[in-house]
Structures are given as C-alpha cells and as structure tokens.
Amino acid sequence: MPRCWWRPMVLTSKVASTSGMGTSARECWRVLVVNDDGAASPGIHVLARKLAERYAGRVVVKVAAPRHNQSGVGCRVTLKGKLGIRKYAIPDCPAVEALEVDGSPADCVRVGIHVLFHDVKPDLLLSGVNLGDNVAMLYWYSGTVSAAVEGAIQGIPSVALSKQLPDYTKAVNTAELELGAAVEHCFPIIDEVMRESMPQYYLLAVNVPAAIKPEYEIHLTSAGHCTLNPHFGPVTLPEDGTLGQLEIDRCVLEATDSNDPSTDLHALQEGFITVTPLRADACRGCLDNCGPTWPKLAEWSIWANAAQGCGCSGATSGTPATFTRVSK
C-alpha cells in the first residue's frame, strides 16, 4: 500500500448530492488557493469563487497570492527577512479571506499555512488557475507548479491548474469566462483527489487546452521533453567593468517529443485535459514508475485514454478506457 500523509476524505451530504461523492464525518475542509500570476489575476479570483460556490458551507477557502507577477520564479523561497503582507478582497467573493504577499508562490504557501490557517495544514492546496499552460520541462520553472511542489513538501495534497491561452493579449480580455469553464472542467479531478489518498510527495499538474469541446476528455499523461530557449537582444558590455545589459525579448518553447501520445505535450495539442503526476522529492514526472507507489491512480474513472497506453507500469492491461465526461 502507498504511504499516505492524509486520510481519504469525501464530502458530506450537501456537496455529495451535487458532486456524486460519498459522506464523511468531516464537516468542513480547509483549502488554500495560491498562484504565481499575482493577486490581481482573474485566474485566482475565478478559482476561489468557483470553489466557494460548488462546495458552499462545506469548504473554507482562503487565498494567499503574490503581490506582483511571479511567473517563472520556480521554487524560490525567502529564507530570512521581512515579507510584506496585507489583506485584499476577491471580487464578488466576500466570504473568502485573502492575503497579498510580497514574495514568491512558495512563500505564499508558507504564509497561507502560518497566517491564514494558524499553522494548521490545510486539507488541500490548489495553485492557479495559471494564465497559460505549464507542460513538460516547464514544470521546473513554473511558479504555479512550484507552489504545488511546496505544498507537497509541506505534506498537503496539491494540484496545479493551468489554462492554455494561445493569444495571451487577446485572451486576457475574456479570461474570466474561459477560466470559469476551465475550473468547472477540473472539478472531476479535484473530486478524485478529495476522494482518494495520495502518496507522500506527489502532486498533480493539470493543463486545460485553449479550446474545450462540449464533450471533453481527461488524459493521464507523462511529462514531455522540451527546452525553453531565450531569444537574446543587443548586448551592452562596457570595457570599464561597469554593469552592462543583456536583453531577453522572448523565450521559445521547443518540444522534442510532441508526437508521443503518452505525453502532456501531445495530449494538450490534441485538445485533451492533461493530468501529470509529479514528485516533489525529485521534481520530475513520475508516471512511468507510479504503479508501485500509487496503484489506484490508473483506476480513476475520469481517464479517457487507455490505461496501458499512458505509460503507467501499474496499469491493468485490457480494453482501453472509453469514459468521456460531458460538460453541463
């Protein structure tokens, strides 16, 4: 049996009637929501509101978000010194207590545990919704995923949620609508995490494609391989030893295995929602060897791809899964 740090919990009757989940003696869950896009991002606003609405009266949702955009900072943490914090309001969601933190996403996790939950670890950590996908080797850089890594290190079941936005400038204008649908499509995944236990140091990285069909599929995937290459601009390097400048005007993602159907890169490209298990103790994709340590993962009913085709050594061979979730 996998070693778990949290007991399996399922929602009580009020929520069970809307989510198809069972009952438990636990009346109220603690959920910490963080991100890397910053406190003003519509992604974290939508996620907090949707959680409060769906699990009304059964979940205490609290938010800790960076004061400024922290995309690409990875697992950076503040080891010593002062962190600026202040209360702020989530639009149209007065019941959710929220903090702005002048620090990294991982700092937000730590502040959320200490300040918002008074050093009582929450039952679930959700990071996102990120404005843009986080796939393959981007997991190393992503502040969104790194916040979930910090949650897993702290012993909290953690999920990173990201939404693919091909045209970032245009998409931000309609982000609330698109992100709301993305969160609703992720609820089956969140429900499964709530229902089942998770092995120690595991987290899930979820990516929702730019275009979602009325009938959509959720695929269990491995982390693909890619490089994120900077495009350098002019170099200024004074001969007198003073500080010069090297401009980076953009970074280009170059995938090396986007045609491998078992990877998140390929599945997202094909329009599927991807769920990639990662390990906080190794910071790498672990689907290829998750069978011995997380045998129940391949048994979740939400997977639309064949269990034996996802690369999971613990999957049972047989007829490919045909489960397709229909949005409502």
Side-chain angles (χ1 to χ4, degrees):
M1 293 293 291
R3 185 159 60 101
C4 303
W5 72 85
W6 66 300
R7 64 183 183 279
M9 297 186 298
V10 285
L11 290 171
T12 52
S13 57
K14 181 176 180 180
V15 179
S17 63
T18 60
S19 66
M21 302 177 71
T23 59
S24 170
R26 181 68 178 271
E27 280 296 325
C28 196
W29 293 6
R30 299 175 294 268
V31 179
L32 176 60
V33 178
V34 298
N35 75 345
D36 75 350
D37 288 321
S41 171
I44 199 165
H45 299 168
V46 171
L47 179 56
R49 282 201 301 268
K50 290 288 185 181
L51 289 169
E53 291 170 2
R54 179 178 174 86
Y55 306 117
R58 294 296 181 267
V59 169
V60 174
V61 178
K62 298 189 178 185
V63 170
R67 184 180 178 188
H68 304 292
N69 189 302
Q70 296 287 306
S71 296
V73 302
C75 293
R76 179 175 65 83
V77 294
T78 301
L79 299 179
K80 188 177 181 180
K82 295 181 179 180
L83 282 174
I85 60 172
R86 68 177 178 184
K87 294 182 178 181
Y88 85 105
I90 301 293
D92 302 318
C93 198
V96 173
E97 185 179 0
L99 288 179
E100 273 187 6
V101 181
D102 196 7
S104 69
D107 285 332
C108 291
V109 174
R110 296 178 173 197
V111 169
I113 295 171
H114 178 65
V115 178
L116 294 175
F117 289 104
H118 309 290
D119 290 322
V120 176
K121 291 180 181 179
D123 302 303
L124 177 66
L125 182 143
L126 297 175
S127 182
V129 176
N130 188 68
L131 301 181
D133 54 281
N134 284 302
V135 293
M137 299 304 182
L138 296 185
Y139 296 137
W140 286 92
Y141 309 120
S142 167
T144 301
V145 176
S146 294
V149 169
E150 179 64 26
I153 291 172
Q154 296 288 341
I156 306 166
S158 301
V159 181
L161 305 172
S162 302
K163 176 67 167 65
Q164 186 181 45
L165 301 174
D167 187 337
Y168 181 86
T169 303
K170 183 184 296 184
V172 174
N173 297 327
T174 58
E176 294 257 356
L177 179 61
E178 295 178 354
L179 293 169
V183 172
E184 291 176 359
H185 293 334
C186 289
F187 275 135
I189 302 164
I190 296 171
D191 287 346
E192 288 288 356
V193 172
M194 289 176 164
R195 179 184 293 113
E196 298 289 341
S197 59
M198 291 175 68
Q200 192 171 21
Y201 302 128
Y202 276 69
L203 59 135
L204 295 177
V206 178
N207 283 279
V208 179
I212 293 289
K213 302 175 182 179
E215 292 188 0
Y216 64 94
E217 295 182 354
I218 303 172
H219 282 214
L220 179 62
T221 57
S222 298
H225 295 276
C226 70
T227 56
L228 189 62
N229 300 318
H231 185 272
F232 293 110
V235 179
T236 302
L237 191 58
E239 295 294 336
D240 60 3
T242 58
L243 186 66
Q245 291 185 336
L246 173 59
E247 181 180 353
I248 301 175
D249 55 28
R250 68 182 183 276
C251 288
V252 179
L253 178 69
E254 295 184 8
T256 59
D257 61 354
S258 59
N259 292 324
D260 183 345
S262 71
T263 66
D264 48 8
L265 284 166
H266 183 271
L268 192 65
Q269 180 178 290
E270 293 298 311
F272 304 127
I273 296 174
T274 66
V275 180
T276 306
L278 305 170
R279 289 182 60 119
D281 58 347
C283 290
R284 60 181 173 83
C286 61
L287 184 55
D288 289 339
N289 60 11
C290 72
T293 54
W294 197 349
K296 287 189 174 182
L297 181 62
E299 299 174 6
W300 287 7
S301 63
I302 62 176
W303 310 131
N305 57 328
Q308 72 271 25
C310 67
C312 178
S313 60
T316 304
S317 60
T319 305
T322 56
F323 182 85
T324 300
R325 186 165 295 279
V326 180
S327 61
K328 296 180 180 180

